[in-house]
Amino acid sequence: MKRSTSGGSATAAGAAAADPSADVALAKMGYASELPRNLSMMSVLGMSFAIMAVPFGLSTTLYITLTDGQSVTILWGWVLVSLISLSIAASLAEICAVYPTAGGVYYWSAMLSTRKYAPVASWVTGWLTLVGNWTVTLSINFSGGQLILSAITLWKEDFVPNQYQTILMFWAVMIVCMLVNVFGAKHLDLINKVCIYWTAASVVVILVTLLSMADTRRSGEFVFAHYDASESGWPSGWAFFVGLLQAAYTLTGYGMVASMCEEVQNPEREVPKAIVLSVAAAGVTGVIYLLGILFVLPDVKMLLDVANGQPIGLLFKTVTGSAGGGFGLLFLLLGILFFAGVGALTAASRCTYAFARDGAIPGSRIWKKVDKRFDIPLMALLLSTAVDCLLGLIYFGSSAAFNSFTGVATICLSTSYGMPILISVLRGRKAVQHSSFSLGRFGYAINIAMIFWIVLAVVLFCMPVSLPVEAASMNYASVVFAGFALISLAWYFVRGRKDFTGPPVPTDVRPGEQVEVAGLAVRDSRAERNGDVEGVGSLKKI
């Protein structure tokens, strides 16, 4: 696989003038700089924060924790998963500082592996990442469509949207997000920054409104210590772990922004910071938001009986005492939906583009093209949109389709994050020992603990939210996961095993030669790699 090591467009050439070291580092990793570097650290942080969309994500999955434990699961489950996610984010940031490329975890798995296993490691990680990006985008926009329709029930309580109405609304949300990504591509930096302020302001407005207008408030004992999993059907202790899906799903998308590395100046420094800071900010935001919700929480049985499956609108209406007040607060969440949907689709399209660039997707020649009019991978964006729209049709077969989307998104992204971490541990963490974002002496302990959590998460998030289970209420996460696994396996035997060699490895670096490029680990040439791909990165500027 040949890859130019010079700028791929006039736009890239202009960006190189502002940040030449990033393009040189990218060329050393085997890729031409084809995308403009017009995003800042705050923009990437905003995108990561937007994809996690804390108030929106927690609100649209509230029924999970109300079923599986209520206050203890809602609040302490969030705190637990926030700490776990922060550790995973730090582990990824450590690797990202060494290999800042749009391939993200897919590229990292290849470069951390031996020559023998690099192709299969990158293939498996790449497909997990790709499916995770697609299904996170799908779940965000599908729940957004449901939330928009739930607004109607604020005035017409007996309204229950049918399957066609839900699918059409979901498609409308997807199309809006796609159009913003196409025609607003030059403004993504601003959009991502605005998201931070909109989310912070929304949390403040929602909490002040709810706490000031509530007729009754819950006690501190209820907020911090109440546990009731009787609605779940699961054993009491196990219900708590099943309920962690709410927090794990919300705090999943931070690793997706690694695919934006080729659109950021000084990515080896800025993107790792954005990944970690976004998770920390999301964790704090979630605690504040959940405390406010729990102190004014209405009758749980009433919330769980809501026909549309989205109780947050009814919660707002009950506490404020009016449909108008409920919609006003719901509108703030819908604004967060806009930022989340746009950001997730942006990341998914860049992930698709990066994976297609190495020939790992059927029709890669089409999906890897960068449209010069908009300076975006337009075909990859269209493919991501089309795949999500088609996957949404699962709703016709399962009323609990959203459970499947959230489950498979969490499973795929979590396992894709775990792959490079696992490989790094197995190789003695030598490639990251000189990372500019090093975990130091705690690296082994943090990495190993996170691997065990990810294994547990795969089991947990295939579970249905409650028992007993019928065909219509089944969590089909494992089925969707297995379906994509079969597609990946089939394409590997058709094309991958013959032609796929993983990401390009620089051919201009001799074994043992040190290259002083910011954030770039030293590697052997593709032809001469002997299985010892250990980074000895230098942080010295060229």
Side-chain angles (χ1 to χ4, degrees):
M1 182 181 303
K2 295 182 179 180
R3 181 68 54 185
S4 169
T5 56
S6 60
S9 66
T11 305
D19 184 25
S21 64
D23 287 348
V24 172
L26 184 62
K28 292 292 184 181
M29 286 184 276
Y31 295 110
S33 180
E34 298 182 284
L35 300 171
R37 294 188 183 274
N38 54 11
L39 300 181
S40 64
M41 190 278 288
M42 283 296 294
S43 178
V44 178
L45 189 155
M47 176 180 289
S48 180
F49 198 62
I51 293 171
M52 288 185 282
V54 174
F56 173 78
L58 290 174
S59 297
T60 55
T61 54
L62 184 61
Y63 70 95
I64 296 175
T65 42
L66 289 178
T67 303
D68 291 313
Q70 299 178 26
S71 298
V72 169
T73 308
I74 291 173
L75 181 59
W76 299 116
W78 174 262
V79 172
L80 173 62
V81 175
S82 294
L83 295 174
I84 292 171
S85 299
L86 191 61
S87 298
I88 297 176
S91 299
L92 295 180
E94 182 181 47
I95 303 173
C96 183
V98 181
Y99 304 114
T101 175
V105 290
Y106 147 72
Y107 185 93
W108 305 342
S109 288
M111 298 312 300
L112 292 169
S113 297
T114 63
R115 177 184 181 184
K116 179 180 179 181
Y117 294 106
V120 68
S122 59
W123 183 276
V124 172
T125 308
W127 273 94
L128 288 170
T129 306
L130 185 66
V131 175
N133 274 257
W134 283 343
T135 50
V136 160
T137 307
L138 164 64
S139 58
I140 289 172
N141 289 329
F142 189 87
S143 61
Q146 288 182 314
L147 200 62
I148 293 172
L149 290 172
S150 74
I152 298 174
T153 62
L154 296 176
W155 287 275
K156 190 176 180 182
E157 294 184 4
D158 60 346
F159 172 74
V160 180
N162 60 39
Q163 293 171 324
Y164 288 98
Q165 291 169 326
T166 303
I167 292 296
L168 290 175
M169 182 58 70
F170 160 62
W171 284 353
V173 174
M174 284 296 307
I175 291 172
V176 169
C177 292
M178 183 194 71
L179 292 176
V180 172
N181 266 280
V182 175
F183 298 104
K186 295 181 179 179
H187 305 292
L188 287 178
D189 184 74
L190 177 61
I191 291 173
N192 293 333
K193 290 177 181 176
V194 170
C195 167
I196 299 174
Y197 299 106
W198 179 281
T199 303
S202 296
V203 170
V204 172
V205 171
I206 290 172
L207 294 188
V208 170
T209 303
L210 292 179
L211 292 172
S212 62
M213 297 188 70
D215 293 329
T216 59
R217 294 180 180 84
R218 299 282 189 171
S219 65
E221 181 182 1
F222 176 89
V223 171
F224 294 101
H226 176 73
Y227 185 79
D228 180 4
S230 59
E231 294 289 335
S232 71
W234 289 108
S236 182
W238 186 249
F240 171 81
F241 289 102
V242 174
L244 294 180
L245 176 59
Q246 180 195 37
Y249 162 69
T250 304
L251 288 169
T252 293
Y254 50 86
M256 293 169 63
V257 296
S259 61
M260 307 305 295
C261 278
E262 294 175 27
E263 297 172 64
V264 180
Q265 297 187 16
N266 303 311
E268 75 285 347
R269 184 179 70 246
E270 304 298 347
V271 176
K273 284 197 300 185
I275 292 174
V276 174
L277 288 175
S278 65
V279 176
V284 173
T285 302
V287 169
I288 296 171
Y289 182 72
L290 289 174
L291 284 173
I293 293 293
L294 287 173
F295 271 112
V296 300
L297 192 70
D299 179 66
V300 174
K301 180 66 175 176
M302 176 188 70
L303 295 177
L304 288 176
D305 286 341
V306 66
N308 55 42
Q310 292 292 345
I312 194 66
L314 178 59
L315 186 154
F316 288 160
K317 177 183 177 181
T318 302
V319 175
T320 60
S322 69
F327 179 75
L329 298 183
L330 195 63
F331 177 79
L332 297 175
L333 293 184
L334 294 178
I336 297 174
L337 157 67
F338 168 78
F339 295 112
V342 170
L345 188 56
T346 303
S349 66
R350 301 313 191 265
C351 175
T352 305
Y353 155 76
F355 204 34
R357 189 167 56 178
D358 292 320
I361 306 175
S364 290
R365 292 183 179 180
I366 299 173
W367 318 125
K368 70 178 182 180
K369 294 180 180 179
V370 175
D371 189 283
K372 302 306 177 185
R373 294 170 297 172
F374 303 107
D375 275 330
I376 61 170
L378 180 60
M379 298 309 296
L381 175 65
L382 295 177
L383 175 63
S384 301
T385 304
V387 169
D388 282 351
C389 287
L390 291 174
L391 283 175
L393 297 176
I394 292 176
Y395 188 64
F396 284 118
S398 171
S399 60
F402 180 55
N403 295 348
S404 305
F405 302 152
T406 55
V408 75
T410 307
I411 290 169
C412 285
L413 285 182
S414 295
T415 49
S416 73
Y417 298 162
M419 283 290 288
I421 297 173
L422 174 63
I423 296 169
S424 178
V425 169
L426 293 176
R427 303 302 307 283
R429 286 179 42 84
K430 294 178 182 177
V432 297
Q433 62 184 353
H434 296 292
S435 171
S436 60
F437 202 94
S438 175
L439 297 180
R441 71 178 70 177
F442 303 105
Y444 268 114
I446 293 174
N447 289 170
I448 292 172
M450 294 309 98
I451 292 168
F452 278 110
W453 159 254
I454 290 168
V455 171
L456 175 62
V458 171
V459 177
L460 287 176
F461 304 144
C462 287
M463 301 290 176
V465 172
S466 61
L467 298 176
V469 179
E470 299 176 354
S473 60
M474 175 63 184
N475 182 351
Y476 287 97
S478 56
V479 178
V480 177
F481 182 82
F484 276 110
L486 288 174
I487 293 173
S488 171
L489 183 64
W491 186 242
Y492 182 79
F493 282 104
V494 171
R495 171 78 184 274
R497 63 175 179 170
K498 299 177 182 178
D499 303 322
F500 184 76
T501 58
V505 180
T507 58
D508 58 342
V509 182
R510 294 188 301 274
E513 180 183 357
Q514 294 192 3
V515 181
E516 295 181 343
V517 177
L520 178 65
V522 177
R523 294 177 298 277
D524 302 340
S525 70
R526 180 207 300 262
E528 299 178 286
R529 283 171 72 189
N530 60 2
D532 297 319
V533 192
E534 318 300 2
V536 193
S538 170
L539 299 179
K540 181 180 178 180
K541 293 285 185 180
I542 61 171

